[in-house]
Amino acid sequence: MRTKPVPAGAANGDFASDPETAMEPRIATPRAFDHTGGVLAAETRPTDYDLWLDERLSQGIATDDTWLASQPVFPAITFCEFIGAALLRKQGEAPDDRRAKATGFAFVSQGPHGIRAALDILMRSQDGGHIVTQGELGPLFKHLKGIYLDDDAFAGFRSILRDYFLEIWPLAPGDDLLGQAVTERRLHSLTSASKETGIGPAVLDDFLTEAGAFAPSDARADARKTFDAKAWQNILDEIPTLVGPIALRRAIGATLAELNGLKADGVLVPRTNVATIKSPWRIADGQALLEELEAYAQPVAPEEPGWETIQLAHKRLDFPVGGIIAAIRTGTLRLGQRPDVFGYHGLVVNISEVAAFKARVAPKRKPSTNEGEVTAAAFARSAGIRGKGQFLALIEGGYTPAMLVVNPTTSRREWRMSRDDIAAFEANYTTPSMLSAETGAHLNTIQAVLQSEGVQPFHRTAWMSGRSIFATLLSRLWHS
């Protein structure tokens, strides 16, 4: 069977750029005019469509070396006309019957490959997606779904169209496509997925882009931004089950600081890192971690001293949460559980054991008088202690350690605190700001709990953090 390449320029819709494609009637010139200026005669050259039709009608399929030999002549003529007219309209031209048939024939005579090339031109939008309406093919669809719906002579053309549109349109099961119901969804668009899941298209776009369904530069409109429905169904099923940090914290009994510590060290990993998504967490991940750790834990009485939450041990000793949990998993560190505190916040480690473990495994630092040091005033501000001289009174009274040094820039004496000095302060005192960082509670809530517990400030700047009192405070703040 003879095949003829799809016309040059067809990929971008330029149907008249090649005079050899016979995609428009070729009118011989010059024309003859009478003395009044009227046309006396005009020689019109036959198109490839004209030649094909003449041979087909006179000799049948015996000499038809195009793909159309496999199709009845009337459906072939009709399909050529509708496809050609749609292509000309797409190009902004008003089609006439003869030119439409010649234009369509150049594509349709090549069979499924040529027909799909024409459909690509007709259905491609400027943003790179596919048009999800019938567009210029409206008249063809109307006839195939109307007067030709039950005409088996059009079955071959209907099959080609149906296969093509199942590949580019986000059709749902039950949708009618040229007289047949769609049996399964192959494609979703952001619009159709949003309608089915109730999730906004922007959130879906962020999730699917991060997962790899779309390129970050994909600028298609929501209705045309399509993706494989089966391949990404797991993402659509999972998104509604994700929760925000508050819901996760309640599910596993963790403070905001504790959740942030688990996240920072990769112990708990959010499902997505897209900043605009406010519900990135899987409760199942948090519950699995909690169940694992509780399996290691042994009961510890509420009044037993020397035990701290994992987050507090991390903060006091500057040792990673992930490192502490890794040591618990290997059996190097013991894990306790306060029976009166729910969840992760009730899991505690022995602070002396963690300190000894850190001394064994932490990399040795070269001595430096400046590394890790801050001025006492700077630390006081970070702990929420305001008022000139109040924190210095603690230092000068011998209640918390610090070093009196000469500032090399100002030549003035100043109190500075090393990491060990800061750890010593945090082991003995707390402040409302420190409690807020530990629990995530508002300062007003913390002040109210301190007052209701009758806890008085020590030296107007900080509160003694006796273990039993401090544990009570944290429990009250967590449940407040």
Side-chain angles (χ1 to χ4, degrees), residues 196-396:
E196 283 193 6
T197 62
I199 303 166
V203 173
L204 288 174
D205 194 12
D206 286 338
F207 266 102
L208 290 164
T209 298
E210 184 184 48
F214 305 129
S217 59
D218 193 333
R220 289 177 292 170
D222 291 348
R224 295 189 290 273
K225 201 163 187 178
T226 54
F227 57 95
D228 188 312
K230 288 185 178 180
W232 301 103
Q233 186 61 45
N234 63 316
I235 298 291
L236 300 184
D237 292 339
E238 184 180 41
I239 294 174
T241 69
L242 300 177
V243 299
I246 294 176
L248 179 63
R249 287 168 48 205
R250 288 173 177 167
I252 66 172
T255 67
L256 178 60
E258 286 170 336
L259 177 57
N260 288 339
L262 292 169
K263 178 183 177 182
D265 282 2
V267 180
L268 270 184
V269 180
R271 179 61 182 82
T272 174
N273 289 312
V274 178
T276 57
I277 295 175
K278 305 305 180 184
S279 298
W281 295 100
R282 285 185 284 218
I283 285 183
D285 291 345
Q287 291 174 333
L289 174 66
L290 182 60
E291 290 174 3
E292 178 198 2
L293 293 177
E294 287 179 338
Y296 296 116
Q298 298 296 322
V300 172
E303 66 278 4
E304 187 169 345
W307 292 81
E308 300 285 2
T309 64
I310 296 172
Q311 178 65 22
L312 193 56
H314 151 69
K315 186 175 180 182
R316 291 194 189 285
L317 299 175
D318 190 26
F319 194 69
V321 169
I324 295 173
I325 291 178
I328 291 170
R329 285 169 167 160
T330 61
T332 306
L333 289 178
R334 291 185 297 161
L335 182 65
Q337 185 172 24
R338 303 281 193 190
D340 58 334
V341 182
F342 167 70
Y344 181 77
H345 194 64
L347 299 175
V348 292
V349 289
N350 186 285
I351 197 71
S352 298
E353 292 180 4
V354 177
F357 176 70
K358 175 188 174 182
R360 293 197 307 271
V361 302
K364 304 302 181 183
R365 297 185 177 95
K366 295 181 179 180
S368 171
T369 57
N370 296 318
E371 183 180 357
E373 292 180 5
V374 296
T375 64
F379 171 75
R381 287 193 297 270
S382 71
I385 300 174
R386 300 291 184 265
K388 183 177 181 180
Q390 290 187 355
F391 185 63
L392 295 182
L394 272 178
I395 296 173
E396 293 170 350

Side-chain angles (χ1 to χ4, degrees), residues 3 7 31 65 81 111 115 147 153 190 201 349 407 409 414 430 444:
T3 58
R31 294 180 177 182
D65 57 359
E81 180 178 4
I115 294 171
I147 59 176
L190 288 178
V349 289
N407 187 304
T409 302
E414 64 183 13
T430 189
N444 291 341

Side-chain angles (χ1 to χ4, degrees), residues 168-181:
I168 70 164
W169 279 354
L171 299 169
D175 286 349
D176 179 84
L177 181 59
L178 296 172
Q180 285 190 10

